[in-house]
């Protein structure tokens, strides 16, 4: 926002926004008081727990807890803003949500306070404005404490907030509600795909002691063979021992920490380059289909399949590269490292007196079940498409607690 006018706004609105203190547009009330633990977990009333306020810009009506009815308590109403008053860090104190609807006998937990506005705000706008960087930054500056941080109702009510026309508020609020719904949709699809992949990994690779999988593509009936990784791939070379420097725009430096634990993708949020001349870097350049293994530490056993789309990259010293043979599908080999048999091998083989580790010879000695090359390719292609879908929905589900209003 520049001055009292936002950088981006809906068409048709040109008037500057007002800046007003929260306390001038509503009143506050406290959470539950005078309760003992025997009062909770039963009863005909509900209360909004701390985590519900902390987690959601708009309160979740399905996340309530039971308490006895008490006419002396303050009742939460639809449109009220709820604030946490205490947290372990200043960045997390004063988190808020707006309660979406009226519900009989609904109270607020004792570690929060409520704010009942006078109708100045569209409730959805209020919900996201209170999560926006300008407001959150002011709250963090007001937080007080050492091992635990607190903020008072009075201090929060002194904060000045932007107040546009009510019609513009409604459009902004609706926009962020729809955006949140879209994020939730992609999160749900992402989780479903992850579950599907886990199930397929169990069914499309033979279980221990078996030579055929439970589920396979039509036309394949031959039993799988047990082979060592060293028969299916070659090279097994260690990576480049060099320090990192800021990314030079030419060669990316791929280290263990750059491999995402969940997606096994090359995370390119904090790119670096190896601090060596270009000739040395090229000796460790990855090629399409190269399979990398983490060889030591807590990440031992983590794998990554290099693809051209990741750009020119050199792999670092705590990684081992295996180059699949022409008669072995790289995607199939990579997916084989995501199953139970591989995890068990890593757990047993990596045991050391010091840090866990697996060397190149030990990786080459890993035994796995392998079908024909054609079946390998179909399995590899299926999981590649599934991984692409998982990545797509992961990228479309960036959760946000802070927005810029």
């Amino acid at each position: 926002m520049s001055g009292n006018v936002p950088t981006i706004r809906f068409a048709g609105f040109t008037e500057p926004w007002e800046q007003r203190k929260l306390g001038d547009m509503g009143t506050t009330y406290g959470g539950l008081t005078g309760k003992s633990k025997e009062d909770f977990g039963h009863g005909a009333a509900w209360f909004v727990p701390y985590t519900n306020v902390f987690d959601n810009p708009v309160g979740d009506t399905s996340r309530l807890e039971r308490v006895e009815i008490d006419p002396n308590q303050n009742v939460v109403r639809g449109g009220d803003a709820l604030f946490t008053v205490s947290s372990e860090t200043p960045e997390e104190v004063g988190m808020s949500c707006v309660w979406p609807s009226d519900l009989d006998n609904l109270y607020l937990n004792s570690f929060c306070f409520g704010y009942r506005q006078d109708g100045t705000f569209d409730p959805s706008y209020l919900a996201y404005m209170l999560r926006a960087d300008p407001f959150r930054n002011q709250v963090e500056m007001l937080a007080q404490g050492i091992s635990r941080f607190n903020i008072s109702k009075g201090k929060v009510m002194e904060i000045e907030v932007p107040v546009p026309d009510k019609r513009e508020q409604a459009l902004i609020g609706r926009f962020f509600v729809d955006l949140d719904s879209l994020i939730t949709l992609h999160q749900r699809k992402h989780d479903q795909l992850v579950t599907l992949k886990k199930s397929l990994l169990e069914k499309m690779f033979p279980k221990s002691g078996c030579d055929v999988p439970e589920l396979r593509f039509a036309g394949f009936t031959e039993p799988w063979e047990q082979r060592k990784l060293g028969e299916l791939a070659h090279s097994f070379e260690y990576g480049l021992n060099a320090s990192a420097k800021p990314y030079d725009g030419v060669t990316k430096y791929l280290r263990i920490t750059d491999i995402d634990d969940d997606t096994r993708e090359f995370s390119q949020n904090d790119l670096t380059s190896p601090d060596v001349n270009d000739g040395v870097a090229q000796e460790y350049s990855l090629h399409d289909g190269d399979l990398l293994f983490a060889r030591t530490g807590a990440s031992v056993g983590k794998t990554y399949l290099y693809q051209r789309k990741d750009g020119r990259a050199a792999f670092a010293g705590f990684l081992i590269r295996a180059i699949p043979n022409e008669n072995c599908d790289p995607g199939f080999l990579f997916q084989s490292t995501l199953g139970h048999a591989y995890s068990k091998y890593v757990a047993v083989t990596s045991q050391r007196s010091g840090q866990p580790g697996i060397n190149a010879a030990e990786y080459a000695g890993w035994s796995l079940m392998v079908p024909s090359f054609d079946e390998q390719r179909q399995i590899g292609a299926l999981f590649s498409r599934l991984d692409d879908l998982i990545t797509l929905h992961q990228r479309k589900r960036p959760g946000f607690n802070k927005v810029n209003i």
Side-chain angles (χ1 to χ4, degrees):
M1 181 180 290
S2 177
N4 289 332
V5 178
T7 306
I8 300 174
R9 66 195 305 188
F10 290 95
F13 297 97
T14 57
E15 292 299 310
W17 292 11
E18 293 185 64
Q19 292 287 324
R20 298 176 63 186
K21 292 181 179 180
L22 270 180
D24 293 340
M25 297 169 285
T27 57
T28 62
Y29 58 88
L32 287 166
T33 59
K35 295 295 177 185
S36 66
K37 63 180 181 180
E38 287 76 20
D39 296 314
F40 296 97
H42 55 84
W46 302 92
F47 73 93
V48 183
Y50 178 100
T51 53
N52 195 343
V53 178
F54 185 91
D55 291 343
N56 306 293
V58 178
D60 184 347
T61 56
S62 68
R63 290 175 58 182
L64 299 174
E65 296 182 19
R66 287 287 187 183
V67 67
E68 294 286 352
I69 289 179
D70 184 348
N72 295 318
Q73 303 297 329
N74 294 305
V75 175
V76 175
R77 295 177 184 167
D80 288 358
L82 313 177
F83 293 86
T84 65
V85 296
S86 179
S87 186
E88 294 180 354
T89 67
E91 292 80 16
E92 295 182 342
V93 76
M95 296 298 288
S96 61
C97 78
V98 168
W99 195 252
S101 59
D102 286 325
L103 183 66
D104 291 340
N105 302 314
L106 178 63
Y107 312 133
L108 181 59
N109 77 84
S110 57
F111 296 101
C112 295
F113 73 87
Y115 168 73
R116 184 160 297 150
Q117 55 128 339
D118 60 7
T120 299
F121 296 106
D122 173 86
S124 295
Y125 169 82
L126 179 63
Y128 291 98
M129 181 270 290
L130 295 175
R131 291 268 179 153
D133 283 345
F135 183 82
R136 291 295 312 148
N137 291 340
Q138 293 185 75
V139 171
E140 290 170 22
M141 288 190 294
L142 295 172
Q144 296 182 346
I146 298 175
S147 61
R148 192 163 187 86
F149 294 84
N150 302 279
I151 194 167
S152 69
K153 291 184 288 187
K155 292 289 187 182
V156 174
M157 291 300 103
E158 288 294 313
I159 297 176
E160 290 191 347
V161 297
V163 185
D165 179 274
K166 196 81 173 283
R167 294 169 301 157
E168 190 171 7
Q169 288 186 38
L171 287 173
I172 293 170
R174 185 72 255 166
F175 173 80
F176 281 109
V177 167
D178 291 345
L179 186 59
D180 242 355
S181 297
L182 186 61
I183 289 169
T184 300
L185 173 64
H186 284 293
Q187 176 69 60
R188 189 176 298 120
K189 288 183 176 179
H190 170 269
D191 294 346
Q192 289 171 346
L193 288 167
V194 169
T195 301
L196 173 62
K197 179 177 180 179
K198 182 179 179 181
S199 176
L200 289 177
L201 283 171
E202 293 177 355
K203 294 178 182 297
M204 297 191 72
F205 289 83
K207 290 181 169 59
S208 178
C210 298
D211 60 5
V212 292
E214 182 180 338
L215 180 67
R216 65 199 305 189
F217 290 101
F220 297 104
T221 58
E222 293 297 311
W224 291 28
E225 297 180 357
Q226 184 170 314
R227 305 282 295 277
K228 291 185 183 298
L229 183 61
E231 301 175 71
L232 305 170
H234 60 280
S235 180
F236 292 93
E237 60 185 317
Y238 295 88
L240 172 62
N241 287 314
S243 58
K245 66 180 182 180
Y247 180 47
D248 59 15
V250 179
T251 303
K252 301 169 185 177
Y253 203 18
L254 177 60
R255 301 158 296 176
I256 290 177
T257 52
D258 296 317
I259 301 172
D260 186 270
D261 289 334
D262 296 322
T263 65
R264 298 296 176 90
E265 288 196 319
F266 182 5
S267 176
Q268 306 202 25
N269 294 328
D270 188 20
L271 290 176
T272 60
S273 293
D275 194 10
V276 295
N277 65 56
D278 190 59
V280 173
Q282 286 195 49
E283 294 178 19
Y284 294 90
S285 289
L286 293 166
H287 303 92
D288 198 43
D290 284 357
L291 187 59
L292 296 183
F293 297 82
R295 66 183 179 89
T296 189
S299 299
V300 66
K302 185 194 290 187
T303 54
Y304 159 76
L305 180 66
Y306 174 77
Q307 301 176 72
R308 289 192 189 94
K309 66 180 178 63
D310 287 334
R312 179 176 168 181
F315 67 107
F318 287 107
L319 296 166
I320 296 172
R321 169 170 60 184
I323 302 175
N325 298 334
E326 290 185 0
N327 61 348
C328 185
D329 181 73
F332 170 83
L333 269 189
F334 170 65
Q335 298 298 334
S336 296
T337 68
L338 305 181
H340 293 306
Y342 175 76
S343 296
K344 184 177 179 180
Y345 178 81
V346 168
V348 173
T349 310
S350 65
Q351 293 182 20
R352 299 286 193 271
S353 58
Q355 277 201 102
I358 300 178
N359 61 38
E362 289 168 328
Y363 273 123
W366 170 49
S367 295
L368 65 154
M369 299 299 293
V370 182
S372 68
F373 182 53
D374 286 342
E375 191 170 2
Q376 288 179 43
R377 285 194 302 180
Q378 291 204 36
I379 292 171
L382 170 67
F383 281 103
S384 177
R385 290 194 294 272
L386 193 55
D387 283 342
D388 287 344
L389 281 173
I390 290 171
T391 300
L392 174 65
H393 288 293
Q394 184 180 45
R395 288 173 178 167
K396 288 187 175 182
R397 63 174 179 89
F400 61 90
N401 284 329
K402 294 184 178 182
V403 291
N404 289 313
I405 294 177

